[in-house]
């Protein structure tokens, strides 16, 4: 019998999970920086084109399982290793806590059968295209059709197009198949794995605008599997699909994950063309959803909003306390694009941000953030106070990026973020 305590570098994900990008390309998980493929597949694996059996027991996925069982640290998992190195809880740790004990038998089967698994995935990450009504500064065309439309409009301005939208440029999206999730292969796969599913993660694009998400919910409900399935759903909160909300209430559990990164006019600049008044109205509405719905608010911290964490927290505290609804808040530091990382903040503003965050830590009863999360972010800023040549270069890149996109959109960064005047 295998001693599971020896698998300290193992992640359960390759044994239970399938994940795609909005264009259908397969990756190991949402935190994985690259797709996985086979040598004979020039374009890699795609949901909607490759069958479940071709993907689930492909040589590449079997090799990943076997390497993990041997205790190897894989480069494809680098994001989790970096987080764990600085004492943060990674997706690997969280997923192991959720699935490892329950599915230990899969490790044994894979070990005995050269990585092969007879049992199907129980966790599915559905990102059905990039249809989105926002073009957030921290996003890119792969995840937003509105970003893509804007980039296409200004394609002639290359190489002035900023890096954050350039790493998934028009060239890399030429083969983006908008309807890949409408194929018979895709629907057959959903039919095949539905009886085993216990968790489905829905993202986009904006899930409430992609009608196929609702169609797959209908598929689960029609076969009576909704009582066994938890749905985790991301949304930008600009639009609530009432029909889809009613159907979600039928599932075993729903983890509703709205994204709010800033308050008021800073939200409107950062997540254009959203309006905070609508975000606030829809947030208040979801606070009244049924009890089978848990709310986890995601806030992604970047160079743009780290100075204003207290501002966002004050608004959240007021709205949530008025509703008397329990809401968890997750703070996540943006890593891509690198020029928007909090380390690129000018030194004077880093010191100011540290002061504000220390005030949050000191008065934790006033704020809704977890003390350990805010402390970790404060420590990160403390360790990044000094400028390096790389940081100075990234700051110049950031300045150019802001100027170019402000020009495209008729916006003014410095009028919304006056603290940055004479700092960038």
């Amino acid at each position: 019998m295998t001693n599971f305590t020896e698998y300290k570098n193992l992640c359960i994900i390759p044994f239970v999970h399938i994940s795609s990008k909005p264009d259908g390309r397969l990756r190991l998980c949402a935190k994985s920086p690259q797709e996985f493929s086979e040598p004979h597949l020039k374009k890699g694996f795609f949901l909607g084109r490759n069958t479940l059996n071709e993907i689930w027991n492909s040589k590449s996925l079997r090799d990943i399982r076997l390497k993990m069982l041997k205790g190897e640290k894989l480069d494809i998992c680098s994001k989790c290793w970096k987080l764990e190195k600085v004492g943060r809880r990674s997706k690997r740790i969280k997923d192991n806590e959720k699935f490892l004990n329950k599915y230990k038998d899969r490790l044994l089967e894979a070990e005995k059968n050269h990585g092969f698994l007879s049992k199907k995935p129980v966790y599915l990450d559905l990102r059905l295209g990039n249809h989105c009504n926002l073009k957030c500064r921290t996003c890119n065309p792969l995840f937003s059709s509105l970003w893509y439309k804007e980039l296409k409009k200004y394609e002639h301005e290359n190489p002035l197009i900023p890096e954050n939208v350039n790493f998934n440029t028009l060239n890399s999206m030429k083969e983006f198949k908008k309807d890949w999730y409408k194929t018979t292969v895709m629907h057959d796969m959903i039919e095949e794995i539905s009886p085993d599913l216990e968790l489905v993660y829905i993202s986009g694009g904006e899930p409430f605008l992609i009608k196929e998400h609702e169609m797959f919910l209908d598929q689960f409900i029609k076969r009576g599997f909704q009582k066994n399935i938890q749905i985790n759903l991301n949304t930008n909160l600009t639009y609530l699909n009432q029909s889809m909300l009613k159907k979600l209430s039928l599932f075993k559990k729903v983890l509703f994950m709205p994204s709010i990164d800033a308050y008021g006019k800073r939200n409107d600049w950062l997540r254009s063309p959203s309006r905070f008044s609508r975000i606030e109205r829809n947030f208040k509405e979801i606070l009244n959803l049924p009890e089978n719905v848990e709310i986890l608010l995601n806030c992604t911290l970047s160079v743009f909003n780290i100075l204003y964490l207290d501002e966002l927290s004050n608004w959240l505290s007021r709205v949530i306390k008025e509703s008397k609804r329990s809401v968890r808040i997750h703070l996540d530091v943006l890593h891509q694009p690198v020029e928007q990382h909090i380390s690129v903040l000018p030194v004077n503003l880093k010191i100011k941000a540290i002061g504000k965050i220390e005030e949050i830590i000191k008065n934790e009863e006033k704020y809704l953030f977890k003390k350990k999360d805010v402390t970790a972010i404060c420590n990160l800023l403390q360790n990044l106070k000094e400028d390096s040549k790389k940081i100075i270069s990234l700051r110049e890149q950031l300045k150019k990026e802001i100027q170019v996109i402000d020009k495209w959109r008729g916006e003014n960064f410095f009028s919304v973020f006056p603290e940055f005047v004479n700092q960038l």
Side-chain angles (χ1 to χ4, degrees):
M1 178 65 70
T2 302
N3 180 4
F4 292 102
T5 59
E6 294 177 1
Y7 294 150
K8 62 180 181 178
N9 293 331
L10 181 135
C11 177
I12 192 62
I13 281 298
F15 302 84
V16 297
H17 179 53
I18 282 183
S19 176
S20 75
K21 291 186 174 182
D23 59 359
R25 284 179 293 168
L26 265 290
R27 57 186 176 181
L28 196 59
C29 78
K31 296 296 183 184
S32 177
Q34 64 195 69
E35 302 84 40
F36 68 91
S37 182
E38 303 278 64
H40 68 282
L41 294 174
K42 292 181 180 179
K43 298 174 184 177
F45 284 115
F46 280 80
L47 283 185
R49 185 175 71 191
N50 297 102
T51 66
L52 176 65
N53 191 54
E54 288 174 332
I55 296 164
W56 191 235
N57 283 303
S58 60
K59 183 179 184 304
S60 55
L61 196 48
R62 284 187 283 118
D63 286 347
I64 287 171
R65 290 172 187 147
L66 290 173
K67 287 176 181 178
M68 285 191 173
L69 288 168
K70 291 176 182 176
E72 293 185 30
K73 280 190 174 183
L74 306 183
D75 290 341
I76 202 170
C77 305
S78 60
K79 285 189 178 180
C80 282
W81 297 127
K82 287 176 183 177
L83 280 176
E84 292 174 29
K85 188 176 181 180
V86 295
R88 299 288 301 276
R89 278 170 54 79
S90 67
K91 178 174 169 58
R92 182 186 83 93
I93 291 173
K94 294 172 186 176
D95 287 335
N96 280 352
E97 289 174 354
K98 186 174 182 64
F99 294 110
L100 185 55
N101 284 334
K102 188 173 181 179
Y103 295 105
K104 284 180 177 178
D105 60 314
R106 296 186 177 215
L107 307 185
L108 292 173
E109 182 186 9
E111 198 166 44
K112 291 177 181 177
N113 296 305
H114 310 289
F116 181 90
L117 286 178
S118 59
K119 295 178 180 177
K120 298 177 178 65
V122 299
Y123 174 15
L124 177 65
D125 185 338
L126 274 180
R127 297 170 189 252
L128 304 182
N130 70 341
H131 182 43
C132 188
N133 57 347
L134 300 185
K135 42 186 178 181
C136 303
R137 296 281 180 142
T138 53
C139 195
N140 65 74
L142 179 63
F143 294 92
S144 166
S145 55
L146 206 60
W147 241 129
Y148 179 83
K149 185 178 179 180
E150 183 172 70
L151 185 60
K152 186 74 175 172
K153 180 180 178 181
Y154 294 103
E155 182 179 10
H156 64 281
E157 293 193 9
N158 247 332
L160 292 178
I161 291 172
E163 287 300 315
N164 77 310
V165 294
N166 214 25
F167 67 79
N168 280 307
T169 54
L170 303 174
N171 286 335
S172 66
M173 296 183 68
K174 282 180 180 176
E175 299 191 24
F176 191 109
K177 307 294 184 185
K178 288 186 177 180
D179 298 334
W180 61 266
Y181 43 83
K182 296 180 180 180
T183 65
T184 302
V185 173
M186 181 64 182
H187 283 265
D188 287 348
M189 189 194 79
I190 295 293
E191 286 283 323
E192 189 176 351
I193 67 177
S194 290
D196 299 285
L197 284 177
E198 62 178 74
L199 177 60
V200 177
Y201 181 97
I202 297 177
S203 187
E206 168 48 44
F208 280 131
L209 293 174
I210 300 172
K211 63 182 181 180
E212 279 72 23
H213 282 130
E214 189 171 2
M215 287 173 56
F216 284 124
L217 294 183
D218 287 336
Q219 206 168 333
F220 298 140
I221 293 168
K222 183 179 179 181
R223 299 184 66 193
F225 296 129
Q226 78 281 358
K227 61 183 180 297
N228 304 320
I229 297 174
Q230 172 177 325
I231 302 290
N232 291 1
L233 184 140
N234 275 125
T235 176
N236 61 31
L237 272 186
T238 56
Y239 169 71
L240 298 179
N241 181 325
Q242 296 300 325
S243 171
M244 196 166 161
L245 283 175
K246 288 178 182 177
K247 290 169 183 174
L248 286 169
S249 69
L250 301 175
F251 283 76
K252 178 181 178 181
K253 182 180 176 182
V254 177
L255 183 60
F256 201 94
M257 299 184 289
S259 295
I260 303 179
D261 293 341
Y263 172 77
K265 63 182 181 180
R266 299 188 224 284
N267 165 85
D268 298 352
W269 183 92
L270 187 56
R271 299 173 73 85
S272 176
S274 71
R275 289 295 173 261
F276 191 76
S277 56
R278 175 171 288 188
I279 302 294
E280 182 172 41
R281 184 170 68 247
N282 287 341
F283 184 60
K284 288 179 177 179
E285 182 175 337
I286 68 167
L287 292 174
N288 293 312
L289 289 174
E291 288 304 312
N292 74 316
V293 178
E294 181 183 354
I295 300 172
L296 173 63
L297 189 146
N298 285 317
C299 177
T300 301
L301 299 176
S302 68
V303 67
F304 301 123
N305 64 353
I306 188 67
L307 267 175
Y308 311 102
L309 199 54
D310 56 338
E311 184 179 85
L312 177 62
S313 179
N314 287 333
W315 172 76
L316 285 171
S317 297
R318 176 175 55 80
V319 174
I320 293 171
K321 285 175 182 176
E322 285 174 2
S323 74
K324 298 181 181 178
R325 177 75 181 250
S326 175
V327 177
R328 290 191 291 132
I329 300 175
H330 176 64
L331 299 176
D332 193 23
V333 176
L334 181 80
H335 291 283
Q336 288 284 353
V338 291
E339 71 274 13
Q340 295 181 14
H341 188 267
I342 59 175
S343 61
V344 179
L345 202 67
V347 173
N348 290 341
L349 297 185
K350 280 180 192 170
I351 294 169
K352 188 173 182 178
I354 290 168
K356 285 191 171 189
I357 294 172
E358 286 176 341
E359 188 67 20
I360 292 174
I361 296 169
K362 193 186 302 180
N363 299 286
E364 59 177 308
E365 70 284 346
K366 179 182 173 182
Y367 299 96
L368 300 177
F369 305 130
K370 289 182 180 178
K371 184 176 180 179
K372 64 177 182 178
D373 291 344
V374 184
T375 302
I377 292 161
C378 189
N379 291 340
L380 178 61
L381 278 172
Q382 291 277 14
N383 292 330
L384 296 169
K385 269 201 289 191
E386 299 300 321
D387 276 351
S388 63
K389 287 184 179 179
K390 181 180 179 181
I391 292 296
I392 293 169
S393 174
L394 287 172
R395 197 174 295 141
E396 283 300 311
Q397 186 177 325
L398 175 69
K399 182 179 179 180
K400 178 187 114 174
E401 172 186 310
I402 291 169
Q403 290 172 338
V404 171
I405 301 174
D406 270 358
K407 181 183 175 183
W408 291 354
R409 299 180 183 178
E411 296 175 341
N412 188 322
F413 171 75
F414 294 108
S415 68
V416 180
F417 303 89
E419 289 85 353
F420 285 81
V421 174
N422 299 322
Q423 298 292 323
L424 274 184

